Amino acid sequence: MTSQEIRQSFLDFFASKNHKIVPSAPMVIKDDPTLMFTNAGMNQFKNIILGNDPIKYPRVADSQKCLRVSGKHNDLEEVGHDTYHHTMFEMLGNWSFGDYFKKEAIEWAWEYLTEVLKLDKERLYVTVFEGSPSEGLSRDDEAAEIWSQFLPAERIINGNKKDNFWEMGDTGPCGPCSEIHIDIRDDAERARVDGLTLVNGSHPQVIEIWNNVFMQYNRKADGSLEGLPAKVIDTGMGFERLCMAIQGKKSNYDTDIFQPIIHAIGKICDIAYGQNEKTDVAMRVIADHIRTIAFSITDGQLPSNAKAGYVIRRILRRAVRYGYTFLNQRSAFMYKLTDALCEVMGTAYPELITQKTLIEKVIKEEEDSFLRTLETGIRLLDKVMDEAKKSGKTTISGKDAFTLYDTFGFPLDLTELILRENNFTVNINDFNAEMQQQKERARNAAAVETGDWVTVREGDSNFVGYDYTSYDTEILRYRKVKQKNQEYYQLVLSNTPFYAEMGGQVGDSGVLTSGSETIEILDTKKENNLAVHISTKLPADVTGGFTASINLEKRRATESNHSATHLLHEALREVLGTHVEQKGSYVSPESLRFDFSHFQKMTKEEIRAVERIANRKIRENHPLHEMRETPIAEAQAMGAMALFGEKYGEVVRVIQFGTSTELCGGTHVDSTGRIGMVRIISESSIAAGIRRIEAISGEAVELLLDTQQDILSEVRDILHNTPDILTAIRKQTEENTELKKQIEGFNQEKIMQLRDDLLQKATEVNNIKIVRYEGSLTADQAKTLAFQIRNIQNNNLCVVAGCVNEGKPSLTILLSDDLVAKGLNAVNIAREAAKEIQGGGGGQPFFASAGGKNPAGIKQAIAKALSLVR
Ligand code: ATP
Ligand code: MG
């Protein structure tokens, strides 16, 4: 079976068991502060499992793009070195939300693997939770019993809490799990060593393929467990590992998912796969990472220097330096793999093909810039080694290695590799200590203490903010949260007009009032799809009734900017072309920001044209046409602009103003006229192929125009109310240039005059003509003066000029060539004398100058210089 067929067979199998097949959620998570990337199939169902979202389908199955490179699941260091961990991989999964439980889950897993895929039963092993007396949990006999229909008792292995008890986080749903392992070794090997002894033993050919989690508990903040009302089945099977087993390969990289990419790498580097372990590892790393990088770009997460973007950047850099170190790639090469990737994955994930140009551009630019950093880092390391050599050391400090790691993205092994080639080592303990310190700093900064939810009353939380700005409500639950020594409360309300930050639009602030009490709501955010209202205190009586009212002024300004964003989006596509796709947006009361794909800087004319179109739409006063519950297919048929990498449900909200149609959950003006006007205030590049515009709307434009008008009026005042400001300024500038030229001329004449005067007044000492000047020339003028004097006499001459110009002292020394030949040096004289003006200088033996900080010392400096000449 091809990988395509295997994926499809899984979905077909569970569809036949009445599962609803749903699409993969985006790999990059945008609206969850606790998680950057999807790391398991269950992430997208978290809100259902927590009871915050309704159960639409009790049985669901899918193939989910996962990424395990940060946080709780981080496999990055294994990737490439072993043959079965990836950064990005697909997880096949089936779920039951309060429907079937262990029996069906286990029986279907067995049926699928052994009857549909016909895997050899003799090669399969399963694990069950052994229990934990300290938690009062007994062995999962129930699961073991079900398995015993299919497997002899010795192949049902007990597993400990670490491997066989799954928890979503510090708190929340959890339960025992049961894993299926497969032994893919050759028969001879299997006869030699019993597979049983290798399960969970990190053998690359005896590995876990499927984990079945039975969520039946809820972990509370004090660590205790309580029963979960609706039990959940959550399973995850590694697609690449399954393909390896079915296709009879010994490594995920030998399957049809990776071979075309490995082949393309081999061609670029002119190195065959399977010849040498070092180059093989590098090729696997690159084949793996190119997928992660490309998929995160299509999901809208570009490499950057913060958060999720930084994680992606580091992955790319890891691949580049494996290529650099082991495959001799000194220039960008990863971007050339996009073709092979599209060939393998483009059918299942067409976004790779539609966004191919963007993927290539972004990767190439990142590679180029990292290769430059790499060169800088290598030079730095050379310097460090040089210094160590001079002081007779063969070890460089862990601190230096850490700086390289932290600022130049040099992993320790690369530093070590370069050091080894030069017979150096690094102090690893120091390096680890530095690393530890940094981790602790990060942990302390991020530490959040979250209390348990206190339930005031049961009920659902409804958002009424599309229709109301103030609404009567009650508190459903609340909890205390402590972060960076600040304590605040999170409140969940039964009905709320507060918009919780989402889709780039900031959350509402406002108040909760009851009688004479007013509780301020600082912000509203979504957490696991619950709108949480953030306040610094709790009301005296949490059980009472309240009126929740948003800050209307702030909301209106935000709405104006949000609707303006839609109009600008449409106008950008009209002016620049339909390759313009939204890549990010941020809407606040003050301004809006819109990022989009476009490959060059927008011209002044294009910006103008976009503003013109948007402002015309504003004046046309299109009413808001809001369709709250539209089936997604219908919305797309209307031409609604959906964002790739955004998670949409089956019914969506469509926002229409005239011809602008977007899927959007945000709040908007009720007709475009209320925006007043929109103005783009900046246009810039934020990454290869991505531009950003910032704009303001409504009253903010009025304020901007006022400020500009005021500046203009003041300029006009300065220009004595001339009617034509531009001509007046141009004329002044021209006059200025002319005057400068004249002054130059005068100065020149003055210097000539000065030259003659000084020569006349010059004294002679030991046959040397000493020309002394003290005055207010600039250093440049003093130089001209000295050279002019030299033009007249270039033997037995010494010029010493001390100047203070605009409070800055300078010293100029010139010696004729014969004096230099006799051993005098202007640089030494200038340096020594400049001490009197607290300065230093330089130049050549015949001419030197020095600046300083102490104008009062200029007389002494001249005297010092003269005495040195004497
Ligand atoms: P392992 O111990 O092999 O790292 P795991 O216990 O971390 O696996 P789970 O979290 O249970 O795995 O994930 C479910 C399935 O996803 C695993 O059985 C495995 O087939 C697959 N899987 C997990 N991590 C990876 C990875 N980094 N790359 C590819 N497949 C993976
Ligand atoms: Mg793992």
Side-chain angles (χ1 to χ4, degrees):
M1 279 171 105
T2 64
S3 52
Q4 289 268 20
E5 289 164 350
I6 295 171
R7 190 190 289 113
Q8 195 55 48
S9 85
F10 178 86
L11 300 177
D12 290 346
F13 176 78
F14 280 99
S16 79
K17 307 285 185 203
N18 298 321
H19 286 62
K20 168 79 183 172
I21 307 302
V22 300
S24 171
M27 187 175 78
V28 182
I29 296 178
K30 289 170 186 108
D31 284 318
D32 186 345
T34 62
L35 201 61
M36 287 195 280
F37 304 105
T38 295
N39 60 21
M42 56 75 55
N43 293 162
Q44 68 160 315
F45 305 113
K46 200 165 99 178
N47 301 329
I48 298 179
I49 298 170
L50 286 169
N52 297 340
D53 279 4
I55 298 169
K56 229 180 305 165
Y57 307 101
R59 297 179 182 190
V60 172
D62 70 2
S63 168
Q64 172 67 50
K65 298 175 277 186
C66 295
L67 187 57
R68 292 196 166 178
V69 291
S70 56
K72 183 173 162 225
H73 290 291
N74 188 345
D75 293 333
L76 186 61
E77 291 311 315
E78 264 72 58
V79 173
H81 291 271
D82 76 16
T83 48
Y84 59 103
H85 278 99
H86 300 295
T87 54
M88 182 207 145
F89 63 99
E90 289 179 76
M91 198 187 275
L92 304 172
N94 56 293
W95 282 268
S96 154
F97 306 113
D99 189 15
Y100 64 85
F101 204 47
K102 292 183 197 180
K103 181 172 168 357
E104 294 84 346
I106 291 175
E107 288 177 357
W108 289 337
W110 190 258
E111 182 186 339
Y112 177 62
L113 292 180
T114 63
E115 282 170 39
V116 178
L117 297 180
K118 307 227 170 342
L119 283 177
D120 181 356
K121 293 177 189 164
E122 298 303 313
R123 290 173 177 267
L124 296 176
Y125 297 85
V126 302
T127 63
V128 297
F129 179 47
E130 66 184 4
S132 164
S134 63
E135 301 239 29
L137 297 171
S138 57
R139 175 175 185 260
D140 191 356
D141 289 333
E142 189 187 353
E145 179 65 30
I146 305 167
W147 280 122
S148 67
Q149 302 172 66
F150 309 119
L151 292 126
E154 70 271 15
R155 298 224 313 270
I156 302 170
I157 303 163
N158 281 345
N160 60 20
K161 199 171 143 198
K162 187 181 136 283
D163 285 329
N164 282 75
F165 195 85
W166 190 90
E167 312 217 22
M168 192 159 90
D170 295 337
T171 58
C174 55
C177 62
S178 187
E179 302 163 347
I180 304 171
H181 294 249
I182 189 163
D183 182 351
I184 55 170
R185 293 172 304 151
D186 296 333
D187 288 337
E189 233 350 81
R190 286 176 60 220
R192 213 173 59 78
V193 182
D194 185 356
L196 197 59
T197 60
L198 298 174
V199 172
N200 270 333
S202 297
H203 190 292
Q205 287 163 22
V206 184
I207 55 168
E208 176 191 330
I209 51 168
W210 201 346
N211 195 358
N212 280 247
V213 180
F214 315 125
M215 277 179 232
Q216 54 194 94
Y217 305 108
N218 180 40
R219 169 90 61 194
K220 304 207 309 189
D222 67 3
S224 64
L225 295 172
E226 63 185 8
L228 208 59
K231 290 180 187 158
V232 170
I233 288 291
D234 155 25
T235 87
M237 171 152 58
F239 172 63
E240 297 76 8
R241 294 186 190 180
L242 181 67
C243 290
M244 157 172 73
I246 306 286
Q247 296 179 354
K249 307 291 185 196
K250 299 273 184 277
S251 152
N252 287 2
Y253 296 92
D254 293 341
T255 63
D256 63 347
I257 307 172
F258 284 99
Q259 270 304 305
I261 304 175
I262 298 254
H263 189 73
I265 300 169
K267 231 164 132 186
I268 293 172
C269 308
D270 200 17
I271 292 175
Y273 185 69
Q275 306 294 316
N276 165 309
E277 181 58 14
K278 281 225 166 97
T279 53
D280 282 358
V281 169
M283 289 166 102
R284 291 200 289 263
V285 164
I286 293 160
D288 174 278
H289 291 8
I290 186 72
R291 298 182 355 135
T292 298
I293 298 156
F295 274 92
S296 62
I297 293 172
T298 60
D299 262 6
Q301 182 57 64
L302 302 175
S304 73
N305 57 9
K307 296 182 189 160
Y310 192 53
V311 175
I312 300 304
R313 172 167 287 170
R314 294 187 80 114
I315 293 173
L316 186 137
R317 292 181 164 194
R318 185 172 188 260
V320 170
R321 63 114 187 149
Y322 269 92
Y324 185 96
T325 312
F326 301 105
L327 306 175
N328 302 320
Q329 295 306 301
R330 293 289 180 270
S331 54
F333 69 96
M334 298 261 304
Y335 74 98
K336 296 180 198 156
L337 301 171
T338 319
D339 281 323
L341 180 66
C342 286
E343 183 196 318
V344 188
M345 307 281 281
T347 314
Y349 299 96
E351 66 268 23
L352 286 174
I353 295 169
T354 52
Q355 300 196 41
K356 187 162 165 273
T357 324
L358 178 70
I359 298 172
E360 282 171 343
K361 280 208 186 243
V362 171
I363 295 183
K364 173 148 192 318
E365 181 164 310
E366 276 291 311
E367 284 190 87
D368 285 338
S369 104
F370 180 53
L371 286 163
R372 284 193 296 271
T373 312
L374 213 55
E375 298 293 344
T376 318
I378 288 172
R379 271 203 298 279
L380 202 110
L381 194 53
D382 280 343
K383 214 175 104 204
V384 171
M385 287 190 291
D386 256 8
E387 274 159 22
K389 207 176 285 168
K390 273 187 205 139
S391 49
K393 284 190 245 163
T394 56
T395 304
I396 75 153
S397 78
K399 216 178 172 114
D400 284 332
F402 186 76
T403 307
L404 277 164
Y405 164 82
D406 205 35
T407 7
F408 295 92
F410 262 54
L412 183 63
D413 56 357
L414 178 64
T415 304
E416 284 185 305
L417 190 99
I418 299 171
L419 290 176
R420 217 175 302 134
E421 282 166 2
N422 293 279
N423 297 320
F424 275 96
T425 54
V426 61
N427 185 331
I428 305 256
N429 288 340
D430 280 0
F431 177 88
N432 288 339
E434 292 281 334
M435 187 79 141
Q436 197 54 38
Q437 273 174 24
Q438 197 203 37
K439 278 195 181 141
E440 246 143 59
R441 280 193 298 271
R443 217 187 342 258
N444 292 341
V448 189
E449 269 175 55
T450 315
D452 277 325
W453 283 112
V454 178
T455 305
V456 179
R457 54 174 64 77
E458 294 296 332
D460 289 335
S461 166
N462 300 310
F463 176 61
V464 297
Y466 292 140
D467 306 305
Y468 301 93
T469 54
S470 182
Y471 210 82
D472 285 344
T473 188
E474 292 171 326
I475 297 178
L476 294 178
R477 45 172 145 156
Y478 66 88
R479 69 177 174 187
K480 193 149 107 180
V481 176
K482 210 170 150 183
Q483 185 172 23
K484 289 186 190 154
N485 286 328
Q486 281 231 22
E487 239 176 42
Y488 52 92
Y489 290 88
Q490 298 184 332
L491 315 175
V492 178
L493 305 179
S494 57
N495 291 305
T496 179
F498 284 75
Y499 183 82
E501 177 167 345
M502 206 182 37
Q505 178 177 334
V506 299
D508 276 323
S509 57
V511 289
L512 278 189
T513 50
S514 155
S516 61
E517 191 182 24
T518 300
I519 301 286
E520 205 178 329
I521 302 296
L522 306 173
D523 198 357
T524 315
K525 288 195 184 317
K526 274 240 158 124
E527 219 178 281
N528 299 323
N529 209 28
L530 266 191
V532 296
H533 304 73
I534 296 164
S535 73
T536 49
K537 62 175 192 193
L538 277 182
D541 175 14
V542 290
T543 61
F546 298 89
T547 304
S549 313
I550 63 169
N551 177 334
L552 206 56
E553 203 180 321
K554 186 176 151 188
R555 163 74 85 81
R556 292 286 179 248
T558 309
E559 285 174 350
S560 169
N561 282 330
H562 199 157
S563 304
T565 307
H566 286 202
L567 299 183
L568 288 172
H569 184 185
E570 192 190 24
L572 282 165
R573 287 170 69 94
E574 189 177 327
V575 172
L576 303 177
T578 50
H579 62 278
V580 166
E581 276 191 37
Q582 176 169 346
K583 288 291 165 196
S585 86
Y586 180 75
V587 181
S588 73
E590 291 80 28
S591 64
L592 69 93
R593 213 163 67 195
F594 186 74
D595 302 338
F596 56 98
S597 45
H598 182 55
F599 296 114
Q600 58 266 349
K601 188 169 174 52
M602 284 177 76
T603 62
K604 220 166 66 189
E605 292 71 28
E606 285 167 340
I607 293 177
R608 232 349 112 73
V610 168
E611 286 179 334
R612 282 269 193 287
I613 294 171
N615 281 316
R616 195 178 61 232
K617 299 260 154 106
I618 291 172
R619 285 191 302 274
E620 284 167 0
N621 200 22
H622 297 283
L624 165 67
H625 188 198
E626 179 202 11
M627 288 155 273
R628 265 184 218 174
E629 304 264 313
T630 313
I632 182 123
E634 208 173 293
Q636 273 158 348
M638 275 188 258
M641 285 188 272
L643 301 189
F644 197 83
E646 214 54 52
K647 191 167 131 189
Y648 295 110
E650 282 167 21
V651 286
V652 291
R653 183 164 171 264
V654 179
I655 294 295
Q656 215 167 34
F657 290 109
T659 47
S660 152
T661 310
E662 297 207 22
L663 302 186
C664 178
T667 64
H668 287 275
V669 294
D670 49 25
S671 65
T672 56
R674 294 186 77 144
I675 301 171
M677 185 168 183
V678 63
R679 172 135 284 186
I680 296 172
I681 52 173
S682 79
E683 192 272 353
S684 59
S685 158
I686 56 162
I690 310 284
R691 311 292 309 177
R692 164 173 293 176
I693 53 170
E694 285 175 272
I696 53 175
S697 75
E699 202 185 341
V701 179
E702 206 177 321
L703 294 178
L704 176 77
L705 293 181
D706 283 351
T707 314
Q708 291 177 341
Q709 188 59 51
D710 288 349
I711 293 173
L712 216 59
S713 306
E714 245 175 82
V715 172
R716 182 167 284 137
D717 269 356
I718 294 171
L719 297 172
H720 310 298
N721 288 321
T722 160
D724 185 352
I725 300 181
L726 281 182
T727 311
I729 290 181
R730 274 198 204 103
K731 203 168 131 229
Q732 285 220 347
T733 318
E734 274 163 25
E735 273 174 20
N736 232 323
T737 322
E738 193 49 43
L739 286 173
K740 268 195 193 139
K741 255 192 234 154
Q742 281 185 22
I743 290 177
E744 273 303 299
F746 288 142
N747 279 338
Q748 205 61 25
E749 264 174 45
K750 201 173 101 189
I751 286 171
M752 293 308 184
Q753 188 66 51
L754 203 54
R755 172 193 69 184
D756 297 343
D757 286 356
L758 291 174
L759 273 171
Q760 234 165 29
K761 279 193 244 152
T763 52
E764 261 186 47
V765 178
N766 301 338
N767 241 348
I768 300 173
K769 183 169 268 186
I770 306 275
V771 178
R772 178 185 184 282
Y773 167 81
E774 185 187 341
S776 63
L777 293 183
T778 65
D780 272 348
Q781 289 167 343
K783 180 175 175 182
T784 314
L785 172 67
F787 277 71
Q788 288 298 341
I789 295 173
R790 183 174 182 259
N791 281 349
I792 294 190
Q793 176 177 346
N794 191 1
N795 65 322
N796 284 331
L797 170 75
C798 165
V799 182
V800 175
C803 311
V804 178
N805 182 274
E806 290 181 356
K808 271 188 242 130
S810 69
L811 191 67
T812 302
I813 313 283
L814 181 130
L815 301 171
S816 55
D817 292 342
D818 55 326
L819 296 185
V820 173
K822 280 183 191 151
L824 279 183
N825 188 333
V827 177
N828 295 343
I829 297 172
R831 283 219 179 113
E832 196 50 38
K835 288 182 183 161
E836 302 290 340
I837 53 170
Q838 286 175 27
Q844 298 163 58
F846 85 99
F847 176 82
S849 60
K853 288 198 228 73
N854 173 28
I858 201 72
K859 251 196 187 16
Q860 289 95 300
I862 299 173
K864 186 71 175 282
L866 291 175
S867 75
L868 287 169
V869 173
R870 281 190 198 110

